[in-house]
Amino acid sequence: MSQDIATIRVTRYRPEKDAKPFFQEYKVPYRHDMVVLDALNYIKAEIDGSLTYRWSCRMGVCGSCGANIDGEPKLTCASFLHEFKGRTITVEPMTHFPVIKDLVVDMQDFMEKLVKIKPWIIREKETPPEQGEYKQSAKELERYSQFSSCINCMLCYAACPIYGLNEKFLGPAATALAYRYIEDSRDQGKEVRFPIVHEMEGAWECTLVGECSVVCPKGVDPMLAIQKTKILGATNAIKSLLMPRGGR
Amino acid sequence: MVDDGRVEGVTAIEVRTGELVTILGKAVIIATGGCGRIFQFTTNGWIKTGDGMALAYRAGVPLKDMEMVQYHPTLLPNTGILITEAARGEGGHLLNKDGERFLKRYVPNKMELGPRDILSRAEMSEINAGRGFEGPYGSYVNLDLTHLGKITIEDKLPFVKELAEKYLGIDPEHEPIPVRPGQHYMMGGVHTDMHGFTGMPGLYAAGEVACVSMNGANRLGSNSLTECLVFGAAAGRAAARYAVKMESPSFGNPVQGEVMMEEKRIFDQILKHEQGERISSVRTEMQNGMEKHVGIYRDENSLKEGCRIIGDLKTRLSNAIVEDKDHVYNTELVAALELDFMLDVAETIPYSAIQRRESRGAHYRTDYTKRDDANFLTHSMAHKTPGPPRIDYSPVTITRWKPEERVY
């Protein structure tokens, strides 16, 4: 495999030194199988130890290396350098988030949203482990399994124009995760989660742009989850009108 | 932080501000995982830098059985990404450059279903005999799934297909996948009893960081889950039982003094160097040295060389430079502290291995190829000293299952 040279333009912003962000350009030798994260690691190891970005697993599992690459939210570990052959690659922090330093963004808002939808199995009464598992059939698993593939990389928030306009919007990943639990046959927390996903800035804010589902690196379809959440909400509303005493 | 032999909390860095933070606690449970990144090729996430092992070791707890390092036979050569055992379980073949299923020479009865350590050694033997392929990231062999057909690969091995396509641009239906062995798991770690207790009041450990000894010298697949679920719960319960009967620690001496020393070490020493080599060159040499001299095949000379290299690198790190002087989100400082942890942990491996003059489980000595129960049916214990680690031994408790000869 031969070596080429990639030109990479990275956003630099060091709050202790810089009044505002600027671009810095680096030249990186690369092979066919190298990704943008490899280039960042090369820069940090060989050229500039102060370049700052987040990463951990290097294999599309941990969700910590997201950035805007040529304007599109992507995992740096899953973006090959050869795909940009012959042109400068621009790497910027994910849009819609406050920047802490260089490519590192503030995740606080997303973390709070994740906790808000209570991403765990809620039971009316917990049984001790000795009494056995909460069983589930393959068919029941199928109802939500794609939504459990989310790696919390936040690319869908960087891609979502609604979130860009209104940071209170619960947003794609958190709604998809809520839906994952709502559809889980072992879960009994629908009554708790419903008001959260249907509140003012919940699912109904979504205008079906669908960029969230396009950028997801794990094949999750948050837009579908949001639409299904709306349908469930609407059906419930009709049910409660027709059967106010709680028909099933 | 240790006061009169009792652990009373930890110091940490709030990465976002760069502040040194003191967290006092009646009990501390270490659950930081393994240390794969001290090796050149590892399946571990690259944040697995052995911090927890080093913290316990520095506090005075021995690291047990550190020479027992598990290699996995099928990693992608560049990234170390793991290709699951299921690829062989479904009928995949390992081939050398002559297209030969070379395992017939090593484990004829089990072939590709043989254990991880034997398969890893077989691959290395083929490579050393010149029967491997040469690539930009060193030698490798092939994992061939092409005869399994599209349906089996898509239905049973979708993640293998995804990884091969995404990271190598290879379609495993039509081309073999290049693989090589690499570090996968540490059987050794922080010495604990079956309750996760390290022997130092207030300090517990669970998971890969710990060595509760359920894996012996060679872990079986999936048993790391047992380690987390069963012994994680046990450590939690034991720590809780201890904590309820203890008084809360107070931020007085000597704990305060320890925090100030740590603050000085980080901010007045590590960050103050203005000239020196980059930490990345020290890290790369550690990884290459460990792979070459303390890897799958070991002997007296290679292990001596491993000890020497790590010793030299420790001196070099103390003179290396952290270019980033920021307080906010200083990932280069974090990398320097991690490397410091890794070197301490790495050093215990050749020092423990050199004294174990036998081959057992994952530890294979080309100069002592047989298991020697008369002399070495025993746990090695590496203790921190101002110089190199001191190794002594602790007896193995044998209960229901007696050790047997390993035959296939």
Side-chain angles (χ1 to χ4, degrees):
Chain A
M1 278 184 257
S2 63
Q3 285 215 338
D4 286 310
I5 304 289
T7 308
I8 304 203
R9 210 162 60 117
V10 188
T11 305
R12 301 303 309 268
Y13 171 64
R14 302 165 70 183
E16 291 162 79
K17 295 189 179 68
D18 309 322
K20 57 180 187 193
F22 61 97
F23 281 117
Q24 192 160 351
E25 206 170 277
Y26 302 97
K27 302 271 184 200
V28 177
Y30 72 97
R31 291 194 177 98
H32 191 76
D33 57 355
M34 277 175 66
V35 290
V36 172
L37 176 62
D38 293 323
L40 297 177
N41 282 338
Y42 175 87
I43 296 165
K44 192 166 184 74
E46 307 291 336
I47 307 173
D48 186 346
S50 72
L51 182 67
T52 303
Y53 49 96
R54 293 180 67 244
W55 69 292
S56 165
C57 77
R58 56 71 175 91
M59 55 188 287
V61 175
C62 75
S64 59
C65 72
N68 269 40
I69 301 173
D70 276 6
E72 273 181 56
K74 284 181 173 166
L75 296 181
T76 61
C77 75
S79 305
F80 285 92
L81 294 165
H82 69 78
E83 288 170 9
F84 304 86
K85 194 169 178 144
R87 57 198 164 93
T88 302
I89 308 168
T90 304
V91 185
E92 298 166 278
M94 283 188 288
T95 35
H96 304 156
F97 297 100
V99 176
I100 294 175
K101 183 177 175 181
D102 293 351
L103 298 175
V104 177
V105 298
D106 189 344
M107 301 182 293
Q108 192 66 27
D109 178 55
F110 176 64
M111 290 298 166
E112 282 166 14
K113 281 174 177 153
L114 272 189
V115 177
K116 195 172 154 187
I117 59 106
K118 302 185 191 297
W120 53 82
I121 287 177
I122 298 172
R123 300 287 290 188
E124 282 153 14
K125 195 165 168 269
E126 286 279 351
T127 51
E130 294 76 20
Q131 287 184 22
E133 308 89 342
Y134 302 137
K135 287 194 176 147
Q136 185 164 65
S137 70
K139 215 173 163 183
E140 286 167 330
L141 169 69
E142 195 50 43
R143 289 182 72 87
Y144 69 85
S145 77
Q146 72 135 314
F147 303 109
S148 68
S149 301
C150 173
I151 55 171
N152 301 333
C153 65
M154 312 195 300
L155 296 188
C156 54
Y157 285 78
C160 174
I162 308 296
Y163 182 66
L165 293 171
N166 178 8
E167 61 161 37
K168 290 210 172 94
F169 175 40
L170 186 58
T175 313
L177 195 60
Y179 181 74
R180 174 242 172 280
Y181 284 95
I182 288 169
E183 276 295 4
D184 190 324
S185 59
R186 300 164 299 179
D187 185 78
Q188 300 168 336
K190 287 179 189 59
E191 279 72 20
V192 191
R193 286 197 194 90
F194 250 74
I196 304 165
V197 289
H198 288 293
E199 71 181 9
M200 281 298 283
E201 337 286 324
W204 297 94
E205 284 287 297
C206 170
T207 58
L208 301 180
V209 176
E211 276 301 308
C212 50
S213 304
V214 175
V215 299
C216 178
K218 301 306 277 187
V220 179
D221 188 350
M223 190 176 75
L224 179 68
I226 294 175
Q227 295 326 305
K228 289 197 166 190
T229 304
K230 287 184 189 171
I231 293 166
L232 283 179
T235 331
N236 259 29
I238 293 165
K239 267 191 195 161
S240 61
L241 276 177
L242 296 178
M243 294 176 278
R245 291 202 184 89
R248 297 237 165 195
Chain B
M1 298 183 301
V2 184
D3 178 4
D4 196 19
R6 174 191 165 193
V7 171
E8 296 191 337
V10 294
T11 54
I13 291 180
E14 168 59 90
V15 177
R16 208 175 148 158
T17 59
E19 265 174 281
L20 194 77
V21 189
T22 307
I23 304 168
L24 293 172
K26 293 177 183 176
V28 172
I29 306 174
I30 302 178
T32 55
C35 60
R37 222 181 165 213
I38 63 183
F39 291 89
Q40 189 181 2
F41 298 100
T42 179
T43 62
N44 291 184
W46 287 1
I47 51 163
K48 292 287 115 191
T49 49
D51 306 9
M53 291 178 185
L55 287 170
Y57 179 57
R58 288 174 187 178
V61 177
L63 298 183
K64 183 166 67 185
D65 294 337
M66 289 300 283
E67 65 274 37
M68 303 304 178
V69 181
Q70 181 163 79
Y71 274 72
H72 193 289
T74 55
L75 275 63
L76 300 186
N78 172 17
T79 51
I81 288 173
L82 179 79
I83 298 299
T84 168
E85 234 121 48
R88 283 172 285 122
E90 292 297 332
H93 293 161
L94 284 169
L95 304 176
N96 64 17
K97 78 168 180 196
D98 303 326
E100 182 189 32
R101 283 177 74 189
F102 56 86
L103 291 171
K104 66 187 178 195
R105 279 193 289 279
Y106 306 89
V107 267
N109 298 330
K110 299 242 175 199
M111 295 297 283
E112 280 81 3
L113 305 180
R116 289 172 179 173
D117 61 323
I118 295 180
L119 263 54
S120 296
R121 285 200 288 274
E123 289 176 11
M124 278 325 275
S125 296
E126 289 298 300
I127 287 167
N128 293 342
R131 290 192 291 269
F133 299 88
E134 288 308 314
Y137 310 102
S139 310
Y140 64 91
V141 297
N142 273 339
L143 174 62
D144 187 10
L145 309 180
T146 55
H147 57 287
L148 298 182
K150 187 182 166 76
I151 293 170
T152 302
I153 292 176
E154 282 183 356
D155 287 359
K156 302 278 183 63
L157 305 166
F159 197 48
V160 171
K161 186 175 158 74
E162 183 192 325
L163 289 172
E165 282 176 349
K166 248 193 194 162
Y167 290 95
L168 293 173
I170 279 178
D171 178 356
E173 280 170 38
H174 302 294
E175 277 178 88
I177 305 170
V179 293
R180 58 154 295 137
Q183 195 276 354
H184 185 49
Y185 184 87
M186 295 298 291
M187 271 70 76
V190 178
H191 167 61
T192 73
D193 65 13
M194 64 184 284
H195 305 288
F197 178 51
T198 62
M200 174 172 273
L203 191 61
Y204 301 80
E208 189 175 343
V209 68
C211 180
V212 69
S213 291
M214 70 166 279
N215 299 310
N218 208 357
R219 181 178 65 94
L220 293 175
S222 299
N223 273 356
S224 49
L225 198 61
T226 313
E227 243 180 345
C228 293
L229 295 177
V230 176
F231 294 99
R237 289 193 189 110
R241 276 196 302 272
Y242 171 82
V244 290
K245 64 176 194 209
M246 296 304 292
E247 295 284 319
S248 289
S250 59
F251 190 65
N253 280 322
V255 164
Q256 200 174 354
E258 285 185 317
V259 174
M260 282 166 73
M261 270 168 64
E262 183 66 355
E263 202 161 19
K264 224 176 146 82
R265 181 177 83 95
I266 295 170
F267 298 102
D268 296 344
Q269 292 168 18
I270 298 175
L271 271 180
K272 277 284 146 61
H273 294 164
E274 294 295 337
Q275 277 181 346
E277 69 177 316
R278 289 173 188 281
I279 55 166
S280 59
S281 59
V282 178
R283 188 174 57 220
T284 306
E285 284 185 43
M286 169 191 68
Q287 291 162 338
N288 295 348
M290 289 297 285
E291 198 68 48
K292 191 166 175 203
H293 303 291
V294 197
I296 291 180
Y297 284 122
R298 304 154 170 187
D299 67 18
E300 176 93 17
N301 289 334
S302 76
L303 292 169
K304 268 189 187 154
E305 184 61 5
C307 294
R308 186 195 65 76
I309 289 172
I310 300 298
D312 287 356
L313 291 174
K314 285 180 129 180
T315 313
R316 280 170 54 184
L317 179 64
S318 62
N319 296 312
I321 178 178
V322 174
E323 285 175 277
D324 192 343
K325 307 290 181 197
D326 291 358
H327 295 91
V328 173
Y329 231 98
N330 191 332
T331 52
E332 199 189 11
L333 172 63
V334 172
L337 295 171
E338 286 173 344
L339 181 53
D340 191 42
F341 286 139
M342 282 194 280
L343 285 169
D344 268 1
V345 174
E347 194 174 33
T348 64
I349 301 174
Y351 275 94
S352 302
I354 203 166
Q355 293 200 28
R356 187 176 284 280
R357 293 183 187 89
E358 63 155 355
S359 292
R360 173 186 302 272
H363 169 73
Y364 195 89
R365 292 275 302 250
T366 53
D367 46 355
Y368 299 93
T369 56
K370 291 271 175 290
R371 194 171 91 191
D372 176 3
D373 282 355
N375 292 306
F376 292 105
L377 183 53
T378 178
H379 295 291
S380 71
M381 308 286 263
H383 301 263
K384 181 105 174 74
T385 75
R390 174 174 61 79
I391 310 296
D392 61 17
Y393 293 91
S394 143
V396 174
T397 314
I398 293 163
T399 52
R400 193 163 153 198
W401 305 100
K402 312 285 178 237
E404 281 177 30
E405 183 92 24
R406 212 174 158 205
V407 281
Y408 294 104

